[in-house]
C-alpha cells in the first residue's frame, strides 16, 4: 500500500526533517541562498501540508548575504522537547556555522539562533537522553581548508545548548557500508534500541538510506545486514535519488519515513526539472529493524490554482522567496500593484531584483500582467545565476518589446517580439515531453515562453527543459519562478500559478511493463 501523496511536499524541498508535536506534524527543508530560510510546513494528517512560516525571516539569523550559490542553508533537523521547537542546521559559507534556533510557535517568530562551537560538519541532528543530555550527531564533511571535501564519517558530541558549545571531543559513530558521503544522520529511540538512520551514496542516482542500532545514543552501533535498506538505484521507479530520510510516527501509530527524491523525465538518461522534493513511504518493523517500502509515485489528482492579485494581497505569504535577501527588500505593493525597482542587476547577478515561488508541478503555468511604462521587467525561472530562462518586457517606440532569454553556463540566447503598447501578459508553461523515440522524448520537459498585449499573443520560443534541471545545473535547488526588474520600476498586477500532474507511472526498462 503506497502511503502518499507523493511527492508529499512538491517542488524544491530537499533534505526533509519532521517531528510530531502534540496533534500536528511539522516539516522543514533546505533553502541554500534563498530568504526567508527554512520553511516550516504543518499537517494534521500527514497528507495535506500548509506552509505556516519560515525559521529565518530576518537576514541576521543566517548571514547568507554573500554565500556562494549552493551553500547557505544545508539540511536542517527539527525536534520538539518540553514545549519548545528546536531547529539545528549548518550554514556553509556563513559565520553562523552550526546553529540551533528555538521557538514555542513553529510558525514563528524563531530566535536569532545559538551557534554551537565544536560541531564541525554538516547535517546536524539533535537528540536528548533521559537525563536531558543533548547529543548532536552530524556528518563530518570538511567544508574548508586543505582537507576540503574530505569526510570524517558520522560523528557525535554531547553539547550544552545554552552555552552553545560541545562538551567533548567528537566521537566517531557508525558511517554506513562504505559508500560515499555518509550523511543526514538521525537518531531515533524505539524501546531499548537507539536507531541511527543515515544517507549514503551521495544525493544523485546512487542515493540510499542505511540504518544501524545500538543500546545507547553513543553506540556502539551495528549496521543492518542488508543495508542500504532503501535505494532506487538502477530501478525503473519514477522516483529516483531517494535518500536523506527521517523516521516519523503515523496517525495510526505506525511508522513512516520522509525523504528526498527526484522525478526525472526523458529517456534512458533523464532530467529532473523540480530538483529534490520531499516524499514519504511506509516503514515496517522486521526483527526489530525498520524496513522502508519502495517510494511510489502518487501525485495529488487535484489541479492547484493560486492567484496573488496585488490589488488585494502583498508578499506576506511565507512561500515567497528572494536571492540572498528578503522578498520585501526587493519588492513592495503600492497602488494595488507589486512594484520592483531595478538596479541594473539581472538574473545573471548574485543579488537580482527577483521575487519568486517554487514550481511545484511538472505541468504548470505561471502568468503575470506587467506594466513596463516606467521600467524593464518580467517573469523568469531560476536555478541559479548561470542557469535561468524568462520573458522580459520594455516599452519601445509606441509599443512593447518582449525578449525571451535562455541562459546556461557559457551559453546565452534571446528571441524578441514586438507587441502593442500597454500592460503585457507574460506566461511560462511547462509540460512533460511526449513519449517515443524522438529528440523531444529523450529530452526534458517542454517550456513555452508566451507574451500577449493589445489582443495579440506570441510564443517567443519553446525550450527543451533538460538544460534547467538538477542534473544539468548540478544544483542542490530547483526551479523558482518569479517576477523581476532590471531598470526603472516595473509593476505587476498579479502572479497566477496553475499546476497539475499526470499519474505517469513511466518505468523505463522495467521487465514485463507493457
Ligand atoms: C546536504 C546533504 C546532501 O547537506 O546535500 O543530499 C546537502 N545530501 O545531506 C545539501 O542538500
Amino acid at each position: 500500500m503506497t502511503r502518499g501523496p507523493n511527492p508529499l511536499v512538491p517542488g524544491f524541498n530537499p533534505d526533509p526533517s519532521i517531528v510530531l508535536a502534540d496533534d500536528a506534524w511539522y516539516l522543514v527543508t533546505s533553502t541554500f541562498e534563498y530568504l526567508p530560510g527554512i520553511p516550516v510546513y504543518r499537517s494534521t494528517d500527514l497528507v495535506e501540508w500548509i506552509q505556516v512560516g519560515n525559521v529565518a525571516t530576518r537576514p541576521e539569523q543566517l548571514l547568507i548575504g554573500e554565500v556562494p550559490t549552493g551553500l547557505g542553508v544545508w539540511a536542517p533537523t527539527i525536534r520538539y522537547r518540553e514545549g519548545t521547537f528546536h531547529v539545528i542546521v549548518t550554514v556553509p559559507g556563513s559565520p553562523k556555522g552550526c546553529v540551533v534556533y528555538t521557538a514555542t510557535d513553529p510558525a514563528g517568530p524563531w530566535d536569532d539562533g545559538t551557534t554551537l562551537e565544536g560541531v564541525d560538519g554538516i547535517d546536524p541532528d539533535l537528540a536528548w537522553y533521559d537525563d536531558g543530555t543533548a547529543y548532536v550527531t552530524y556528518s563530518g564533511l570538511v567544508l574548508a581548508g586543505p582537507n576540503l571535501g574530505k569526510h570524517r564519517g558520522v560523528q557525535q558530541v554531547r553539547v550544552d545548548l545554552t552555552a552553545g558549545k560541545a562538551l567533548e571531543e567528537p566521537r566517531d559513530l557508525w558511517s554506513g557500508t562504505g559508500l560515499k558521503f555518509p550523511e543526514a544522520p538521525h537518531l531515533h529511540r524505539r524501546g531499548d534500541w537507539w536507531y541511527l538512520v543515515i544517507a549514503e551514496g551521495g544525493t544523485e542516482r546512487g542515493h540510499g538510506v542505511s540504518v544501524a542500532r545500538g543500546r545507547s545514543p553513543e553506540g556502539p552501533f551495528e549496521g543492518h545486514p542488508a543495508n542500504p535498506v532503501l535505494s532506487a538505484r538502477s530501478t525503473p521507479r519514477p522516483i529516483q535519488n531517494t535518500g536523506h530520510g527521517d523516521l516519523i510516527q503515523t496517525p495510526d501509530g505506525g511508522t513512516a519515513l520522509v525523504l528526498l527524491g527526484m522525478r526525472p523525465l526523458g529517456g534512458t538518461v533523464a532530467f529532473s526539472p523540480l530538483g529534490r522534493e520531499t516524499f514519504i513511504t511506509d516503514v515496517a518493523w522486521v526483527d526489530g529493524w525498520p524496513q522502508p517500502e519502495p517510494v511510489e509515485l502518487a501525485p495529488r489528482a487535484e489541479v492547484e490554482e493560486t492567484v496573488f492579485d496585488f490589488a488585494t494581497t502583498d508578499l506576506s505569504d511565507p512561500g515567497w522567496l528572494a536571492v540572498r535577501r528578503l522578498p520585501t527588500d526587493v519588492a513592495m505593493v503600492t497602488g494595488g500593484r507589486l512594484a520592483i525597482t531595478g538596479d541594473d542587476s539581472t538574473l545573471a547577478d548574485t543579488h537580482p531584483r527577483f521575487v519568486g515561488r517554487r514550481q511545484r508541478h511538472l505541468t504548470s503555468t505561471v502568468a503575470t500582467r506587467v506594466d513596463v511604462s516606467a521600467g524593464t521587467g518580467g517573469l523568469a525561472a531560476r536555478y541559479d545565476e548561470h542557469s535561468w530562462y524568462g520573458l522580459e518586457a520594455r516599452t519601445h517606440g509606441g509599443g512593447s518589446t518582449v525578449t525571451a532569454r535562455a541562459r546556461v553556463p557559457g551559453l546565452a540566447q534571446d528571441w524578441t517580439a514586438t507587441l502593442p503598447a500597454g500592460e503585457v501578459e507574460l506566461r511560462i508553461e511547462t509540460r512533460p515531453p511526449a513519449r517515443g523515440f524522438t529528440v523531444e522524448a529523450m529530452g526534458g520537459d517542454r517550456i513555452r515562453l508566451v507574451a500577449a498585449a493589445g489582443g495579440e499573443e506570441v510564443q517567443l520560443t519553446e525550450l527543451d527543459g533538460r538544460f534547467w534541471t538538477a542534473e544539468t545545473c548540478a544544483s542542490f535547488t530547483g526551479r523558482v519562478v518569479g517576477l523581476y526588474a532590471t531598470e526603472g520600476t516595473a509593476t505587476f498586477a498579479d502572479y497566477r500559478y496553475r499546476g497539475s500532474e499526470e499519474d505517469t507511472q513511466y518505468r523505463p526498462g522495467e521487465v514485463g511493463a507493457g
Side-chain angles (χ1 to χ4, degrees):
M1 192 285 286
T2 296
R3 174 177 294 279
N6 263 332
L8 189 70
V9 184
F12 145 47
N13 279 292
D15 311 327
S17 174
I18 189 168
V19 72
L20 172 59
D22 303 332
D23 56 356
W25 287 263
Y26 297 92
L27 185 146
V28 293
T29 59
S30 300
T31 41
F32 305 91
E33 71 267 18
Y34 287 99
L35 283 174
I38 316 176
V40 180
Y41 299 99
R42 181 177 188 272
S43 177
T44 55
D45 58 7
L46 214 48
V47 173
E48 292 313 325
W49 292 83
I50 54 166
Q51 186 178 351
V52 292
N54 297 278
V55 172
T57 55
R58 306 178 301 280
E60 61 274 18
Q61 287 175 286
L62 285 173
L63 301 178
I64 58 168
E66 299 307 326
V67 291
T69 290
L71 296 189
V73 173
W74 279 24
T77 292
I78 187 168
R79 294 294 181 254
Y80 180 70
R81 180 177 167 78
E82 296 168 355
T84 299
F85 289 86
H86 295 75
V87 166
I88 185 170
V89 68
T90 296
V91 193
S94 159
K96 281 286 192 177
C98 178
V99 54
V100 180
Y101 304 96
T102 62
T104 50
D105 178 351
W110 291 74
D111 65 11
D112 283 347
T114 302
T115 290
L116 287 180
E117 301 309 328
V119 177
D120 190 1
I122 63 168
D123 303 4
D125 172 79
L126 187 54
W128 290 267
Y129 194 57
D130 307 346
D131 62 2
T133 300
Y135 287 94
V136 172
T137 306
Y138 57 96
S139 172
L141 179 67
V142 180
L143 288 170
N147 291 321
L148 175 68
K150 286 251 174 308
H151 211 298
R152 293 187 294 264
V154 174
Q155 301 191 303
Q156 181 190 72
V157 285
R158 280 177 293 121
V159 298
D160 178 334
L161 289 172
T162 312
K165 62 182 174 64
L167 297 172
E168 58 186 346
E169 285 305 305
R171 105 189 88 257
D172 296 338
L173 291 189
W174 176 83
S175 292
T177 63
L179 299 177
K180 68 177 181 177
F181 294 123
E183 55 197 5
H186 287 304
L187 270 180
H188 294 279
R189 186 166 195 180
R190 183 183 166 94
D192 300 338
W193 288 106
W194 285 84
Y195 291 90
L196 175 58
V197 177
I198 72 166
E200 56 175 336
T203 196
E204 312 85 37
R205 294 287 191 272
H207 214 189
V209 175
S210 294
V211 62
R213 67 184 182 186
R215 294 294 185 185
S216 146
E218 302 183 11
F221 287 97
E222 164 217 356
H224 184 293
N227 273 327
V229 291
L230 177 85
S231 178
R233 71 176 64 123
S234 311
T235 72
R237 293 186 199 133
I239 301 172
Q240 290 287 322
N241 297 52
T242 45
H244 202 124
D246 201 7
L247 290 172
I248 191 67
Q249 181 187 327
T250 56
D252 56 8
T255 305
L257 183 78
V258 294
L259 70 174
L260 74 81
M262 300 214 296
R263 291 184 280 167
L265 297 172
T268 44
V269 179
F271 309 95
S272 311
L274 306 186
R276 299 177 301 162
E277 309 175 87
T278 290
F279 294 85
I280 190 168
T281 193
D282 266 328
V283 171
W285 287 89
V286 181
D287 304 332
W289 287 101
Q291 182 53 62
E293 302 217 355
V295 184
E296 297 297 351
L297 185 65
R300 292 175 176 80
E302 65 278 5
V303 172
E304 179 180 314
E305 298 222 49
T306 313
V307 174
F308 293 89
D309 178 343
F310 298 116
T312 56
T313 186
D314 56 18
L315 293 176
S316 54
D317 180 276
W320 287 103
L321 294 169
V323 183
R324 296 182 179 86
R325 54 185 156 190
L326 292 170
T328 46
D329 293 337
V330 169
M332 57 181 288
V333 171
T334 171
R337 299 179 70 89
L338 185 77
I340 304 180
T341 298
D343 59 3
D344 295 330
S345 68
T346 73
L347 268 287
D349 292 294
T350 55
H351 295 78
R353 306 291 290 177
F354 170 84
V355 290
R357 304 178 67 83
R358 298 166 175 85
Q359 181 183 334
R360 294 160 46 85
H361 300 77
L362 294 171
T363 300
S364 72
T365 298
V366 180
T368 187
R369 288 170 293 136
V370 60
D371 176 337
V372 288
S373 55
T376 299
L379 175 68
R382 177 187 190 269
Y383 244 101
D384 58 40
E385 55 265 31
H386 311 293
S387 303
W388 52 275
Y389 54 82
L391 292 149
E392 187 167 295
R394 66 179 66 240
T395 300
H396 188 246
S400 306
T401 296
V402 178
T403 303
R405 301 190 190 284
R407 300 289 184 274
V408 292
L411 283 178
Q413 181 152 359
D414 291 347
W415 300 260
T416 298
T418 56
L419 286 164
E423 191 175 58
V424 183
E425 161 103 0
L426 303 175
R427 278 203 323 276
I428 295 179
E429 300 172 0
T430 69
R431 65 168 175 77
R435 276 291 160 72
F437 285 92
T438 61
V439 171
E440 170 170 327
M442 291 303 141
D445 59 332
R446 307 306 295 180
I447 303 168
R448 290 183 68 231
L449 302 183
V450 179
E456 289 183 26
E457 176 163 310
V458 56
Q459 169 179 302
L460 284 94
T461 189
E462 176 169 320
L463 302 169
D464 178 334
R466 77 177 81 185
F467 302 109
W468 296 273
T469 61
E471 292 86 354
T472 49
C473 298
S475 170
F476 278 149
T477 64
R479 290 187 189 162
V480 174
V481 187
L483 314 172
Y484 72 97
T486 57
E487 57 198 12
T489 298
T491 67
F492 301 83
D494 54 10
Y495 179 98
R496 307 187 311 274
Y497 179 90
R498 186 180 192 285
S500 62
E501 300 289 2
E502 303 144 27
D503 188 357
T504 47
Q505 290 291 350
Y506 183 41
R507 308 170 76 91
E510 182 168 32
V511 175

